[in-house]
């Protein structure tokens, strides 16, 4: 090859790959900067406490949502995540794989140090009760219909329930070819949902390609709009690398977290449910889930150290909290740091909390009027209760 051709080709390669390499450099340098022991704790809360650390099976809580009118939080928790995590790629079920459950926490009487209580929501006639591995969920407050992503062993699906007092009445299970790796749900009313699929390559089908997709930052994740009254009209409305949490910022804007970019994508919602991309900003941690408080501030929680999180998910299948074996008890430890932040157009991105006090933060919610915020932890025991 002539020297000039070579130069031309490498210039072209740099022109094409340069921005991509720079993009990955930014993502990977975040991982390096946040490596264990180099992570500076930040905490601007007035007071905080971890509650219900020792409540049996109240651990591995991914999602968290508030019903401020009732003053309750609903949490989706799954001790079985230790052995079965379709997002992180842990597939070690045995015949005793524990099912997950949804919990109700009445936080109206919460004072730090008080003995408030949580209870498990009961199911009424739910065929998947023994194969329930809940992650993302959303409540349609008008109808009290709760949508829950279930990473069931029999296949991922969306469960719909009616929430009546402390009982979940099963309505139906929804599966759809476009919901191959469902993660989070945002209900926009009347059975109309935006759902994220975190990956194109599911770790259940191809662990290697799935990891490659995560680290390459390829936009394999999707946002799907589906109307449950007309599922045949479901369509992919955007593609996002490792699409994770999704939340409506206001009547026109949808926010979606990317855990691999890592960053936040903003979209305008059209009447026909298509999305138009409005912008993206980067975050110093892999954003997991999103929520929006009553003043329109976006709250996010996530994982500053992807490597620490992977280490935990890898060791967890061994975990047995009451075992005689020290190795099995240690496997239950949770050491991955947390990160929580808020964003608004006026004030930009502000970190509220980071550090290892609470492990593997996945969702933060805030009741503005009562001045209480809550953070759940993907592999943590209990819940972090905050006075702001
Ligand atoms: C499942 O539970 C039963 C009863 O506790 C126990 O005998 C069995 O060894 C367990 N199986 C595994 C694979 O842990
Ligand atoms: C995250 O939160 C949103 C809204 O608060 C919810 O709709 C979604 O399902 C959640 N997803 C996950 C995976 O936590
Ligand atoms: C869609 O289905 C829900 C129940 O799943 C029902 O309450 C609602 O009225 C339906 N909406 C329309 C527009 O048909
Ligand atoms: C919704 O939020 C976006 C982003 O903060 C903002 O640009 C837009 O003006 C808001 N729209 C409404 C109707 O409040």
């Amino acid at each position: 090859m002539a020297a000039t051709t070579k130069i031309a080709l490498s210039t072209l390669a740099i022109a094409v790959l340069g921005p991509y390499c720079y993009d990955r450099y930014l993502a990977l340098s975040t991982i390096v900067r946040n490596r264990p022991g180099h992570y500076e704790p930040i905490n601007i809360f007035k007071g905080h406490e971890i509650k219900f650390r020792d409540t049996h099976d109240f651990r591995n809580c991914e999602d968290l949502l508030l019903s401020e009118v009732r003053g309750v939080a609903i949490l989706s928790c799954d001790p079985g995540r230790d052995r079965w995590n379709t997002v992180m790629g842990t597939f070690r079920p045995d015949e005793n794989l524990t099912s997950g459950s949804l919990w109700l926490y009445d936080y109206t009487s919460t004072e730090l140090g008080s003995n408030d209580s949580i209870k498990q929501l009961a199911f009424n006639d739910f065929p998947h009760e023994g194969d329930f591995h809940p992650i993302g969920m959303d409540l349609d407050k008008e109808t009290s219909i709760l949508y829950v992503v279930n990473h069931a062993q029999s296949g991922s699906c969306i469960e719909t329930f009616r929430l009546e007092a402390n009982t979940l009445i099963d309505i139906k299970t929804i599966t759809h070819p476009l919901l191959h790796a469902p993660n989070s749900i945002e209900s926009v009313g009347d059975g109309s949902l935006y759902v994220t699929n975190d990956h194109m390559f599911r770790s259940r089908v191809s662990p290697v390609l799935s990891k490659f997709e995560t680290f390459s930052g390829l936009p394999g994740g999707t946002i799907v709009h589906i109307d449950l009254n007309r599922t045949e009209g479901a369509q992919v409305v955007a593609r996002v690398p490792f699409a994770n949490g999704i939340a409506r910022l206001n009547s026109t804007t949808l926010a979606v977290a990317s855990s691999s970019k890592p960053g936040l994508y903003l979209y305008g919602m059209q009447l026909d449910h298509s999305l138009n991309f409005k912008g993206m900003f980067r975050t110093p941690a892999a954003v997991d889930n999103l929520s929006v408080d009553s003043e329109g501030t976006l709250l996010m929680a996530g994982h500053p150290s992807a490597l620490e999180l992977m280490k935990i998910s890898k060791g967890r299948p061994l975990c047995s909290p009451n075992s005689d074996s020290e190795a099995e008890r240690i496997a239950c430890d949770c050491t991955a740091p947390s990160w929580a932040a808020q964003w608004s157009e006026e004030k930009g991105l502000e970190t509220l909390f980071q550090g290892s006090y609470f492990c593997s933060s996945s969702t933060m919610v805030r009741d503005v009027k009562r001045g209480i915020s809550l953070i759940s932890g993907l592999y943590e025991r209990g819940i972090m209760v905050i006075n702001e």
Side-chain angles (χ1 to χ4, degrees), residues 27-266:
L28 297 175
S29 60
T30 304
I31 294 179
V32 172
R33 196 170 49 245
N34 293 342
R35 69 193 181 278
H38 289 76
Y39 197 56
E40 192 189 326
I42 296 180
N43 179 352
I44 65 166
F45 299 139
K46 261 197 239 144
H48 57 80
E49 179 184 5
I50 303 176
K51 290 199 167 207
F52 314 113
R53 273 222 125 151
D54 297 310
T55 304
H56 184 63
D57 276 356
F58 186 62
R59 60 186 188 94
N60 296 357
C61 300
E62 216 276 352
D63 204 359
L64 171 58
L65 57 85
L66 289 185
S67 169
E68 283 161 280
V69 180
R70 279 181 75 187
V72 296
I74 300 171
L75 293 106
S76 71
C77 310
D78 183 13
R81 181 170 304 123
D82 289 347
R83 305 190 69 94
W84 183 258
N85 183 337
T86 54
V87 183
M88 302 288 291
T90 314
F91 302 105
R92 300 270 293 278
D94 61 19
E95 71 269 26
N96 299 332
L97 181 69
T98 321
S99 251
S101 46
L102 304 185
W103 294 75
L104 196 72
Y105 172 35
D106 177 347
Y107 62 87
T108 50
S109 59
T110 291
E111 277 175 32
L112 298 184
S114 69
N115 283 320
D116 38 9
S117 68
I118 45 171
K119 45 173 139 358
Q120 235 164 325
L121 290 170
F123 292 115
N124 182 324
D125 257 343
F126 177 44
H128 282 159
E129 190 168 346
D131 188 13
F132 187 52
H133 298 286
I135 64 158
M137 53 182 178
D138 202 16
L139 178 68
D140 180 339
K141 287 170 183 139
E142 302 267 300
T143 55
S144 283
I145 295 196
L146 185 67
Y147 303 97
V148 186
V149 174
N150 180 7
H151 281 180
Q153 282 181 266
S154 56
S156 293
C157 57
I158 293 177
E159 312 285 3
T160 55
F161 303 101
R162 186 181 312 281
L163 179 63
E164 281 181 14
N166 300 330
T167 305
L168 294 164
I169 316 241
D170 179 44
I171 301 176
K172 64 179 169 191
T173 297
I174 292 132
T175 55
H176 192 280
L178 287 181
L179 303 178
H180 60 284
N183 189 310
S184 299
I185 302 176
E186 177 67 26
S187 150
V188 289
D190 258 343
S192 170
L193 309 177
Y194 286 100
V195 182
T196 57
N197 285 292
D198 47 73
H199 282 78
M200 170 161 70
F201 297 112
R202 283 175 295 164
S203 49
R204 204 168 168 178
V205 178
S206 173
V208 174
L209 285 176
S210 177
K211 285 252 155 48
F212 171 75
E213 188 182 329
T214 302
F215 285 103
S216 66
L218 291 177
T222 56
I223 307 169
V224 168
H225 177 266
I226 184 166
D227 180 340
L228 298 184
N229 295 336
R230 223 176 44 81
T231 55
E232 66 283 1
Q235 51 179 332
V236 173
V237 288
R239 289 178 195 279
V240 173
F242 198 153
N244 205 324
I246 183 165
R248 205 166 14 148
L249 210 50
N250 54 39
S251 58
T252 57
T253 305
L254 192 69
V256 177
S258 163
S259 295
S260 64
K261 187 83 180 171
L264 202 92
Y265 288 69
L266 297 171

Side-chain angles (χ1 to χ4, degrees), residues 308-326:
E308 283 285 287
L309 191 67
M310 284 170 154
K311 199 174 92 191
I312 292 175
S313 79
K314 241 179 138 175
R316 269 304 169 89
L318 254 188
C319 161
S320 170
N322 304 315
S323 167
D324 294 333
S325 138
E326 197 187 350

Side-chain angles (χ1 to χ4, degrees), residues 342-361:
Q342 64 184 8
W343 179 86
S344 65
E345 200 158 38
E346 306 75 53
K347 294 190 182 152
L349 185 68
E350 294 167 84
T351 295
L352 302 170
F353 174 81
Q354 66 179 37
S356 300
Y357 166 76
F358 187 74
C359 170
S360 62
S361 58

